[in-house]
Amino acid sequence: MTAPEPFEALPEDWNKAVAVVAHPDDLEFGGAAAVARWTGQGKEIVYVLLTSGEAGIDGIPPAESGPLREAEQIESARIVGVSAVEFLGQPDGTIEYSVALRRLIAGVIRRHQPEIVITNNFRDTWDGDVMLNQADHINTGKATLDAVRDAANRWIFPEEGERWGGVRQVWTAGSPNGRHAVDTTETFDVGVESLKAHKAYIDGLGWPHFDPAEFLEGISRSTGTRLGTTYAAPFEVFTP
């Protein structure tokens, strides 16, 4: 059996990133330990959540779930050193790829002017085979990738502010096509605590034996092996 190719380390010669994802908890299921590493280096990272995750807990009505999940996300972000968290009020579970969504995200990019944009895995699966991805993740990731190009074009969405062409790369967390990773050995435990902060959501999943540390270790250890570290977080890299 052929061994998987080694991962290449992500560049870290940047100062500001914006993470655009669909739901509270999306970053915590694999990416939060990487964020903790970067904030520990003094980098600025802004979280932008398209929805409040209001449709994500079967036993709690959206009007109650949305504020609860926002509060959990703010705490989860605080644990990894992120103080700026924005919720854009898009409908949970029914995000559609559209020009309007590209406009919304392009406006975020122009306003924050990041060098790196982080988003969801937008491939059809998580494993390149049978573990299906969810439509909100797919549409968010694709729209974010296009919005980076839109933000750099002064003639597209001029009402959303001055063009910003300073995004060097877009990184999609957890992609099965990832060829890059970042060492999270020193921040793995912080990432676990960040995921644990989504207690109401995890409880609502109805997974009685779910262990956040065990789940994240399964991803992080195999990725770390390919990077040459104990733990690591995988990303697919796109250069606009």
Side-chain angles (χ1 to χ4, degrees):
M1 186 174 181
T2 304
E5 293 184 6
F7 279 127
E8 181 179 343
L10 287 172
E12 295 186 317
D13 58 339
W14 50 275
N15 295 306
K16 185 173 184 180
V18 169
V20 182
V21 296
H23 317 108
D25 81 73
D26 283 349
L27 286 162
E28 286 67 48
F29 275 93
V35 171
R37 172 186 172 95
W38 294 324
T39 59
Q41 295 171 345
K43 302 182 193 305
E44 179 185 358
I45 300 181
V46 177
Y47 280 9
V48 178
L49 291 300
L50 293 190
T51 81
S52 297
E54 66 276 6
I57 304 177
D58 183 64
I60 303 178
E64 298 176 30
S65 179
L68 174 59
R69 297 199 66 195
E70 287 187 4
E72 288 189 338
Q73 180 61 71
I74 290 169
E75 172 61 12
S76 181
R78 183 199 65 78
I79 290 169
V80 296
V82 173
S83 60
V85 182
E86 300 180 6
F87 301 92
L88 300 188
Q90 299 302 293
D92 184 19
T94 58
I95 294 175
E96 293 182 308
Y97 178 94
S98 64
V99 171
L101 185 60
R102 284 167 46 195
R103 179 186 294 112
L104 182 67
I105 299 170
V108 167
I109 292 167
R110 287 175 176 171
R111 179 158 47 87
H112 288 292
Q113 301 186 343
E115 299 158 78
I116 300 295
V117 172
I118 301 165
T119 191
N120 299 121
N121 166 33
F122 59 79
R123 301 301 183 181
D124 288 339
T125 70
W126 290 104
D127 62 349
D129 187 15
V130 297
M131 293 177 61
L132 291 177
N133 201 350
Q134 193 254 10
D136 280 1
H137 301 149
I138 294 169
N139 294 332
T140 296
K142 289 182 176 179
T144 298
L145 193 62
D146 286 337
V148 168
R149 288 190 292 256
D150 296 333
N153 187 326
R154 71 178 74 253
W155 310 119
I156 298 178
F157 310 137
E159 70 280 6
E160 294 299 331
E162 294 295 320
R163 67 178 292 273
W164 175 249
V167 176
R168 292 165 46 186
Q169 291 183 326
V170 180
W171 299 345
T172 62
S175 169
N177 292 0
R179 298 293 180 269
H180 291 72
V182 59
D183 182 3
T184 57
T185 304
E186 298 299 322
T187 54
F188 174 80
D189 291 339
V190 183
V192 171
E193 293 305 310
S194 187
L195 177 55
K196 286 181 177 179
H198 293 279
K199 184 179 185 305
Y201 176 68
I202 292 172
D203 290 347
L205 290 174
W207 298 347
H209 304 298
F210 178 74
D211 183 332
E214 183 180 40
F215 174 85
L216 293 176
E217 182 175 1
I219 300 169
S220 302
R221 187 173 291 280
S222 61
T223 305
T225 297
R226 293 176 64 182
L227 187 65
T229 63
T230 302
Y231 296 127
F235 293 84
E236 185 174 3
V237 172
F238 297 89
T239 301

